[in-house]
Amino acid sequence: MPRAVREQQLLELAERLFIESGYGAFSIEDLCREAGVSRPIIYDHFGSRDGLYLACLRRVRAEFENTLINAARDAPDAEAAIRQGADAFFTIIERDPRRWSLVYGGLSELGGTLADQIYELRTDTIDRISAITTRFAPHADREAVTAHAHAVSGAGEQMGRWWLHNPDIPRERIVDHFCTFARMSFLQLPMAEPDLTAGSVPAS
């Protein structure tokens, strides 16, 4: 079996086992039995259990984020981008809540290098939200744009957790709640201070 095909097969199986067992109870031996391979093959592809877990997160996050970015890419204005992206985000939760929880549920027991690497995955998401924001607010203060992206990302994750515990709320209302917050945050973005030296004339 080609290496890339084997890798995807292992990731699909590992993802299911992480969802079913959780990170703490996940076993490389269980994955070996499911895939019909030996431990050295798993380690050759991913290096360790942590490496396998990160590979699963990267795979799912990339799929989710591409869905969100594509949903907002052709929006004519900021409000449409917020709503289209929000609708895509909460549709993902509605369609596959356990898979979403694998990526965004949070694992308080993780620490050290693994926690740092998971944080880096989240900063990639922040960068993508910042890029969309900058498209509609090109003169906004850069630091404020980054803070806005963190706030919007965090609000989406927390609202997703809340919704999973209150599934009787229609998705349309969840999207409305999120858009209200994100819109107000966007509208409050301060503009960058002008560079007063850019057009100055040298003294004679």
Side-chain angles (χ1 to χ4, degrees), residues 112-126:
T113 302
L114 180 57
D116 291 340
Q117 289 174 301
I118 292 174
Y119 177 76
E120 288 177 8
L121 292 181
R122 290 181 170 175
T123 59
D124 290 342
T125 302
I126 300 304

Side-chain angles (χ1 to χ4, degrees), residues 85-104:
D87 187 63
F89 180 76
F90 290 106
T91 295
I92 286 170
I93 299 176
E94 185 177 51
R95 184 179 64 235
D96 202 341
R98 297 180 71 196
R99 195 168 189 236
W100 181 88
S101 294
L102 173 67
V103 178
Y104 296 100

Side-chain angles (χ1 to χ4, degrees), residues 6 9-10 31-42:
R6 169 70 78 187
Q9 178 199 49
L10 292 173
L31 177 58
C32 290
R33 281 193 295 271
E34 290 278 344
V37 300
S38 62
R39 290 176 66 94
I41 289 179
I42 304 295

Side-chain angles (χ1 to χ4, degrees), residues 21-197:
S21 305
Y23 173 83
F26 176 89
S27 165
I28 292 290
E29 287 76 13
D30 288 342
L31 177 58
C32 290
R33 281 193 295 271
E34 290 278 344
V37 300
S38 62
R39 290 176 66 94
I41 289 179
I42 304 295
Y43 292 127
D44 177 57
H45 279 274
F46 304 106
S48 64
R49 183 178 73 158
D50 287 355
L52 177 61
Y53 181 65
L54 283 168
C56 285
L57 293 190
R58 289 191 185 99
R59 178 172 176 263
V60 182
R61 285 188 80 101
E63 180 182 324
F64 287 175
E65 289 179 12
N66 286 336
T67 298
L68 304 185
I69 297 303
N70 289 337
R73 177 170 291 144
D74 298 326
D77 53 46
E79 183 156 348
I82 291 170
R83 180 161 294 277
Q84 290 167 202
D87 187 63
F89 180 76
F90 290 106
T91 295
I92 286 170
I93 299 176
E94 185 177 51
R95 184 179 64 235
D96 202 341
R98 297 180 71 196
R99 195 168 189 236
W100 181 88
S101 294
L102 173 67
V103 178
Y104 296 100
L107 291 170
S108 58
E109 70 267 25
L110 298 182
T113 302
L114 180 57
D116 291 340
Q117 289 174 301
I118 292 174
Y119 177 76
E120 288 177 8
L121 292 181
R122 290 181 170 175
T123 59
D124 290 342
T125 302
I126 300 304
D127 290 343
R128 301 187 79 171
I129 295 173
S130 296
I132 293 174
T133 303
T134 300
R135 174 187 165 200
F136 297 107
H139 303 297
D141 178 77
R142 296 301 91 201
E143 182 178 297
V145 167
T146 301
H148 164 80
H150 276 279
V152 167
S153 176
E157 291 184 25
Q158 191 59 36
M159 197 169 291
R161 296 185 191 102
W162 172 57
W163 189 31
L164 289 179
H165 287 89
N166 297 272
D168 55 310
I169 303 175
R171 189 185 78 249
E172 292 76 12
R173 283 222 308 273
I174 294 292
V175 171
D176 286 341
H177 292 319
F178 176 83
C179 287
T180 297
F181 167 79
R183 185 186 308 113
M184 291 303 298
S185 177
F186 177 82
L187 292 174
Q188 295 300 315
L189 284 173
M191 296 300 105
E193 292 292 330
D195 183 357
L196 299 180
T197 65

